[in-house]
Amino acid sequence: MSTQNFNYWTLVLEHLRSKISGSNYQAWFSNIEFDAIGNEGRKLVIYAPSEFHKQYIEKKFNVELRESVNKYYPKVIHLEIRIKEQEKVPKKQIQDSLDLKVAQERKLEKLEVTPTEDREKIASYLPRKNLNNLNPKYTFENLVVIKSNEFTVNLAKGIVQELGTLYNPLFIHSPVGLGKTHLLQAVGHAVLEKNPELNIKYVPSDTFFNQFYLALTKGEAQKFRDFYSSVDLLLVDDIQFIGGKEGFQNEFFHLFNLLHQSNKQIIFTSDRNPKELIGIEDRLVSRFEWGMVTDIQKPDFDDRMAILQDKLQRANLILSPEHTQLIAEKVNTNIREMEGVINKIRAVLNASVDKELSDRALLSVLGQYIKQSAANAENADLLVANPDRINMAVCRIFGITPEELLGSSRKANVAEARQITCWLYKNDLTLSFPHIGRLLGGRDHSTIMHAVRKIEVLIKQKDARIISKVNLVKQFLLEM
Ligand code: ADP
Ligand code: MG
């Protein structure tokens, strides 16, 4: 195996890491090994630790893996995943958490000296200087001001006028689909329009973390710091995803202080208010609350009518008042769903001869939507939380087998995995202690109660390791 080829493989893994979630990467790719490249560069052989890994990767990540492979080995046509024989690979335990790894790398990285000229080069994982990642659609012009967002929109407009000094940071929270990302980027556009010279960065928090992670693995943390400490306006979307990522939170804490002290504006969005964030250090939570915390509420009927009318008009669609009202009444979850329904209606109208929407056609679109949202609500429960899925996720994250989980092993790692399983059964499935005991290999209800309490206490005490584990399992459940 040439060093060159092996180096390419590490690049493949890094690339892949930026494409899929941290927990998926950790669970499925952290122990994949490069074997050989042959047949004049057309065949790549890698090793997976088990048949299960191989099948899962082939089923779920085929496209991503091939893309990443072809980026660095453009000639590869045939990708073979072999199973590493057990005795050859001591089963690697899944890392304690992504964060411990980050922490270790942080230590390593401190010892390395980054040559200055290297720092000057633009890192491939950071956006180019003149790119701010703003979606041209998300402007104030396209944002309908309604009762449920008026207060927050006004705060945001105030910030455009007095960048860095009015409310800093601004923290916007709401459930999904109510326009947080849109508003966040609208501020970016408006600030740029006023002053095109300013350095503005929009970044979803998981991308932010990935950039940091890659910077660390390349020993380029300073490059990351330089990049973000020079911004005038930092727009961080969905900050809740940094929960449990301690190493990153530490880095971000310093960045925040630096920017804040020099009156650089920071705006966050989140799916919940700062107090309800899980696995985020107190000192960061308190900083989130320094400026102004504000929310966007669910639109009521009048708000939904206003949004609909605006969207229909922009799409050049003419509906009768009765139809518009019916849509506003039925599609009451969020604005993204409303856009979905409008798109369907547009498609129906395009296909119709007389370009008029019949009652029947509208009812069919609405019927599909109602069925779909009911199914989503049901599936969300079914899919995310059932005992088998929880077991599987816990096993993956802890690197143990289902037999170990349900059996009597007292190894610390296994015992902890079992306790977290109990807590998830209780918390997410609201099962009774005896029921949980039966599901977990016939354990006594008092044992279960003890386990659940133990995790509860640790979470209350903000035990970073447990919280990070729970978060990894939960994230994994959502993605598997
Ligand atoms: P969130 O970030 O809160 O999940 P988004 O900003 O992604 O929500 O909004 C979802 C969709 O709804 C986007 O296409 C956005 O343009 C649209 N939208 C949300 N609020 C409004 C509004 N007030 N006026 C017009 N469109 C909106
Ligand atoms: Mg969003």
Side-chain angles (χ1 to χ4, degrees):
M1 167 174 92
S2 79
T3 344
Q4 185 68 329
N5 272 323
F6 178 72
N7 286 343
Y8 284 143
W9 175 246
T10 57
L11 292 176
V12 170
L13 286 180
E14 270 176 29
H15 185 256
L16 192 62
R17 207 189 172 294
S18 67
K19 291 275 166 210
I20 65 179
S21 76
S23 54
N24 268 327
Y25 179 84
Q26 190 67 13
W28 304 107
F29 291 99
S30 61
N31 40 18
I32 299 294
E33 289 172 23
F34 175 87
D35 180 54
I37 182 111
N39 201 2
E40 295 173 339
R42 288 196 287 268
K43 178 173 177 178
L44 172 67
V45 183
I46 54 179
Y47 276 115
S50 72
E51 181 62 34
F52 187 65
H53 272 81
K54 173 178 151 85
Q55 283 178 9
Y56 199 91
I57 290 171
E58 283 172 346
K59 202 168 126 221
K60 295 271 185 175
F61 301 109
N62 194 17
V63 176
E64 291 87 347
L65 178 59
R66 282 189 176 270
E67 257 176 37
S68 298
V69 164
N70 283 128
K71 190 169 160 71
Y72 295 99
Y73 302 98
K75 285 198 260 168
V76 166
I77 302 165
H78 189 66
L79 175 63
E80 185 179 327
I81 306 183
R82 288 190 195 151
I83 312 300
K84 194 120 185 175
E85 289 156 35
Q86 280 308 328
E87 56 279 10
K88 271 210 239 154
V89 217
K91 192 169 126 220
K92 270 191 207 157
Q93 291 290 341
I94 289 191
Q95 298 274 356
D96 220 13
S97 76
L98 198 52
D99 244 80
L100 275 184
K101 202 166 168 203
V102 170
Q104 285 158 3
E105 269 151 11
R106 208 183 151 80
K107 268 186 219 143
L108 283 180
E109 167 258 325
K110 275 199 185 132
L111 303 174
E112 283 175 28
V113 185
T114 322
T116 4
E117 69 268 23
D118 247 358
R119 270 189 217 158
E120 247 101 76
K121 279 195 219 142
I122 298 161
S124 57
Y125 47 85
L126 291 172
R128 289 215 315 278
K129 274 255 165 5
N130 54 351
L131 279 186
N132 47 45
N133 286 338
L134 297 177
N135 179 334
K137 275 193 331 200
Y138 291 161
T139 58
F140 277 117
E141 219 268 303
N142 292 338
L143 186 80
V144 187
V145 182
I146 44 183
K147 290 194 297 295
S148 61
N149 68 13
E150 191 179 7
F151 180 73
T152 299
V153 171
N154 285 336
L155 291 182
K157 286 185 171 162
I159 281 180
V160 175
Q161 300 311 316
E162 289 176 59
L163 204 63
T165 47
L166 191 56
Y167 315 106
N168 201 12
L170 179 67
F171 190 102
I172 305 170
H173 64 95
S174 86
V176 293
L178 297 183
K180 294 183 295 297
T181 300
H182 189 142
L183 179 58
L184 191 64
Q185 299 203 13
V187 173
H189 284 297
V191 168
L192 264 187
E193 204 167 293
K194 241 184 119 199
N195 189 348
E197 299 300 306
L198 290 185
N199 184 355
I200 293 174
K201 288 290 171 260
Y202 163 83
V203 63
S205 79
D206 50 344
T207 306
F208 208 2
F209 169 74
N210 282 336
Q211 292 168 350
F212 171 63
Y213 182 89
L214 285 177
L216 283 188
T217 49
K218 292 181 169 217
E220 296 176 346
Q222 195 54 43
K223 216 182 234 180
F224 174 88
R225 279 172 209 137
D226 293 347
F227 183 83
Y228 278 106
S229 50
S230 67
V231 302
D232 299 297
L233 170 61
L234 180 61
L235 306 165
V236 188
D237 210 355
D238 289 315
I239 191 74
Q240 71 272 12
F241 292 131
I242 71 168
K245 298 184 160 82
E246 267 178 277
F248 180 69
Q249 287 181 34
N250 186 37
E251 180 73 29
F252 185 65
F253 177 75
H254 295 295
L255 177 66
F256 179 96
N257 289 341
L258 193 82
L259 292 176
H260 194 269
Q261 276 157 18
S262 38
N263 285 338
K264 304 299 186 189
Q265 180 73 47
I266 305 167
I267 310 183
F268 298 104
T269 73
S270 161
D271 67 344
R272 63 198 80 184
N273 78 41
K275 290 229 160 33
E276 288 166 353
L277 287 167
I278 303 173
I280 296 192
E281 297 172 27
D282 287 344
R283 57 181 188 165
L284 263 182
V285 170
S286 83
R287 271 159 181 78
F288 292 161
E289 293 172 323
W290 266 2
M292 175 70 92
V293 176
T294 179
D295 68 343
I296 300 177
Q297 286 133 28
K298 279 182 95 170
D300 65 9
F301 177 79
D302 292 341
D303 278 353
R304 297 199 297 273
M305 278 298 280
I307 294 268
L308 261 180
Q309 274 154 356
D310 182 273
K311 301 245 172 221
L312 290 171
Q313 198 187 350
R314 285 172 194 270
N316 278 327
L317 295 176
I318 300 172
L319 299 192
S320 70
E322 296 75 31
H323 281 176
T324 316
Q325 282 175 13
L326 186 65
I327 300 170
E329 201 176 297
K330 297 292 177 201
V331 187
N332 58 7
T333 38
N334 65 50
I335 299 171
R336 186 174 295 140
E337 301 269 13
M338 295 177 80
E339 289 182 332
V341 168
I342 294 173
N343 285 338
K344 286 237 173 69
I345 292 174
R346 192 209 319 249
V348 170
L349 280 175
N350 279 343
S352 81
V353 191
D354 56 5
K355 307 288 172 217
E356 272 203 34
L357 189 66
S358 67
D359 290 351
R360 230 189 68 216
L362 175 61
L363 288 178
S364 146
V365 170
L366 287 177
Q368 278 170 27
Y369 158 78
I370 290 165
K371 233 165 67 204
Q372 184 61 43
S373 56
N376 284 348
E378 220 171 79
N379 279 345
D381 269 9
L382 265 182
L383 281 178
V384 174
N386 77 42
D388 285 345
R389 288 174 54 88
I390 290 180
N391 291 358
M392 181 161 160
V394 170
C395 286
R396 284 289 117 207
I397 297 301
F398 280 83
I400 63 174
T401 64
E403 292 72 35
E404 283 175 304
L405 182 70
L406 302 182
S408 54
S409 162
R410 284 168 189 270
K411 274 195 290 188
N413 184 37
V414 178
E416 193 172 277
R418 215 179 275 134
Q419 287 161 352
I420 287 185
T421 309
C422 292
W423 181 84
L424 286 165
Y425 277 17
K426 185 81 206 158
N427 204 58
D428 289 22
L429 304 182
T430 57
L431 300 177
S432 69
F433 294 129
H435 191 169
I436 298 174
R438 284 195 299 278
L439 288 173
L440 281 180
R443 294 186 146 72
D444 185 65
H445 83 276
S446 62
T447 314
I448 304 296
M449 199 162 79
H450 178 74
V452 173
R453 294 278 137 80
K454 181 162 174 203
I455 299 298
E456 263 171 17
V457 169
L458 287 170
I459 289 177
K460 235 197 196 124
Q461 291 168 347
K462 305 215 163 156
D463 184 288
R465 209 169 51 82
I466 291 294
I467 289 175
S468 137
K469 286 265 159 90
V470 169
N471 276 338
L472 281 173
V473 172
K474 287 194 167 217
Q475 212 175 336
F476 192 83
L477 277 168
L478 282 173
E479 283 157 7
M480 71 194 249

